[in-house]
Amino acid sequence: MINVTKTFLPPLDEYIKYLEKIWDTSWVTNQGPLAEELENRLKEFLDVRNLLLVTNGTIALQLAIRALDLKGEIITTPYSYVATTTSILWENCNPIFCDIEKNSFCIDPANIEKAITENTSAILATHVYGFPCDIEKIQAIADKHNLKVIYDGAHAFGVKYKDQSLLNFGDISTVSFHATKLFHTIEGGAVIVKDEKVAEKIFLYRAFGHLDDEYFSIGINGRTSEFHAAMGLCNLSRVYDFIEKRKKINLMYKEYLDGTPLSFPVISENIFYNYSYFPVFFLTPESMLSAKQLLSENGINTRRYFYPSLNKLPYLNYSECPVSEFTAERVLCLPLYNDLGIDHIKKIALIINKSFNLK
């Protein structure tokens, strides 16, 4: 079986060295020294000021919404993982779906302003597959209407826009460190916050709202463990190597799929991209499903990132987002991970060519 992704695990002896530190201190959770070290190293790596580790990327979104005191309506994208929408619902806000751009897969700023009402408190947009939203247009709209901006950057670790981390934009950016991600801590995530007072709120929120015997606010347990931090410390120094390997795989896919009726996202010149995913766009849902089925029959696992379009979730009132719905019916993500071999890439491309009756 060739899976759509594969978790990178560092050399075991390297991880064991961190385990020995944990055994020496008997400090396994509650913001231990390894978690502190990873937070500091991530701030340096990403060149961000306020970064807080949390248990996962979904908790990161929920903490962001809560810390910004958002109420009422949050304008968001229908083309993302379901956690983007359910985080809004979980915090008792109402997701208002705004359709996406045809080429970037990200929320379309041209549609955002039309969706703003007196009940709108924020925009929550996703950097889909790590491709940046139009952050300048979104910020201009937010400034005009006094709205907060949260970016779901689950896919955006290591991505740079005009030479700075994409996670630096918006009032808050969140990121996932799930085992399937480019950089992972097995389970985990982070919140990157522009305002220091908001960062202080999240610091308390993730630890039940208290410091020792002093209680300041409500809170949850959003802290990471030393074991997860240890995995992150092993992996962080390898991120640029991961990106380079994935870039080569990306180029090989495009070479071997040349001549098919598939199309691929275009990476603009002012972006340093992380190659987290390899989405391909089919002309019809039928051709996509045919290729997916043939790949599955040959032991190759692909994923429909993202299907269905979230405006069609059965527990929500339907609102029309034709571009997102059209896209969700036609995109398939092919296997992409650090050690995916050229023979596997050729095999995948050959099967897709066969699905189109091409040699």
Side-chain angles (χ1 to χ4, degrees):
M1 170 67 75
I2 301 173
N3 283 317
V4 69
T5 187
K6 179 182 175 183
T7 300
F8 173 83
L9 292 173
L12 186 57
D13 59 350
E14 188 175 328
Y15 188 63
I16 287 173
K17 288 179 181 178
Y18 284 106
L19 295 185
E20 289 171 347
K21 292 182 179 181
I22 297 171
W23 256 252
D24 287 342
T25 63
S26 296
W27 197 341
V28 299
T29 188
N30 290 353
Q31 199 62 15
L34 297 183
E36 286 288 331
E37 181 182 351
L38 182 57
E39 275 193 357
N40 290 328
R41 286 184 57 185
L42 284 167
K43 289 176 190 176
E44 182 179 358
F45 182 88
L46 296 168
D47 194 21
V48 298
R49 288 181 62 190
N50 301 305
L51 179 145
L52 298 102
L53 288 175
V54 293
T55 47
N56 57 64
T58 306
I59 290 293
L61 285 168
Q62 291 172 215
L63 287 169
I65 294 167
R66 178 61 63 106
L68 292 173
D69 296 319
L70 301 184
K71 310 292 182 187
E73 299 173 350
I74 298 177
I75 295 172
T76 191
T77 174
Y79 195 74
S80 183
Y81 186 59
V82 68
T84 310
T85 295
T86 52
S87 295
I88 295 171
L89 293 166
W90 203 267
E91 293 302 320
N92 295 311
C93 294
N94 186 21
I96 303 299
F97 292 109
C98 177
D99 212 351
I100 64 172
E101 292 180 320
K102 180 179 177 181
N103 296 320
S104 73
F105 303 112
C106 296
I107 195 168
D108 188 348
N111 294 323
I112 291 176
E113 203 151 17
K114 301 172 190 175
I116 295 172
T117 72
E118 61 182 10
N119 296 318
T120 305
S121 60
I123 302 163
L124 198 172
T126 299
H127 300 304
V128 181
Y129 309 128
F131 296 113
C133 297
D134 194 330
I135 51 181
E136 287 156 347
K137 287 184 180 178
I138 290 172
Q139 192 60 54
I141 293 168
D143 290 343
K144 179 180 176 182
H145 295 275
N146 194 30
L147 302 176
K148 300 296 184 181
V149 177
I150 300 172
Y151 285 112
D152 181 341
H155 309 162
F157 190 88
V159 177
K160 295 180 182 179
Y161 174 71
K162 295 183 178 178
D163 295 324
Q164 70 168 304
S165 172
L166 188 58
L167 302 173
N168 255 325
F169 295 89
D171 294 283
I172 296 179
S173 288
T174 67
V175 65
S176 170
F177 298 150
H178 186 264
T180 58
K181 298 297 189 288
L182 171 77
F183 166 78
H184 79 89
T185 60
I186 306 173
E187 287 279 4
V191 188
I192 296 90
V193 190
K194 185 170 289 184
D195 185 278
E196 297 213 3
K197 289 185 178 179
V198 176
E200 290 171 5
K201 289 172 69 174
I202 294 174
F203 180 85
L204 288 169
Y205 285 168
R206 75 170 178 183
F208 297 106
H210 73 92
L211 294 171
D212 297 322
D213 293 333
E214 291 189 80
Y215 288 75
F216 300 94
S217 70
I218 62 170
I220 60 172
N221 185 2
R223 296 166 297 192
T224 194
S225 80
E226 291 292 89
F227 297 92
H228 294 86
M231 182 60 70
L233 289 166
C234 289
N235 291 337
L236 186 57
S237 63
R238 296 178 164 91
V239 168
Y240 288 123
D241 179 54
F242 295 163
I243 291 173
E244 189 59 33
K245 287 177 178 177
R246 287 163 176 257
K247 181 178 181 180
K248 290 177 181 177
I249 294 168
N250 185 290
L251 293 173
M252 281 191 281
Y253 264 134
K254 289 180 178 177
E255 177 184 351
Y256 294 123
L257 292 172
D258 186 40
T260 65
L262 299 172
S263 58
F264 316 100
V266 177
I267 304 166
S268 62
E269 292 182 358
N270 57 5
I271 302 301
F272 177 82
Y273 186 53
N274 66 4
Y275 299 93
S276 280
Y277 296 87
F278 191 76
V280 294
F281 190 92
F282 289 76
L283 291 177
T284 66
E286 292 76 17
S287 61
M288 183 275 296
L289 291 171
S290 175
K292 180 174 173 58
Q293 178 63 30
L294 193 55
L295 287 163
S296 178
E297 290 170 0
N298 284 272
I300 298 163
N301 181 26
T302 57
R303 281 291 298 274
R304 298 179 72 180
Y305 288 127
F306 294 100
Y307 180 84
S309 183
L310 297 176
N311 59 302
K312 298 179 73 175
L313 288 170
Y315 44 84
L316 295 174
N317 292 326
Y318 173 75
S319 58
E320 190 175 71
C321 293
V323 180
S324 179
E325 293 170 36
F326 184 90
T327 302
E329 293 280 356
R330 290 162 174 80
V331 169
L332 190 66
C333 281
L334 303 184
L336 179 60
Y337 46 86
N338 301 332
D339 59 353
L340 184 67
I342 187 170
D343 289 343
H344 289 154
I345 296 166
K346 287 181 176 178
K347 178 180 179 180
I348 292 164
L350 179 63
I351 292 167
I352 292 173
N353 274 275
K354 283 184 178 178
S355 77
F356 290 115
N357 295 316
L358 301 170
K359 292 184 178 180

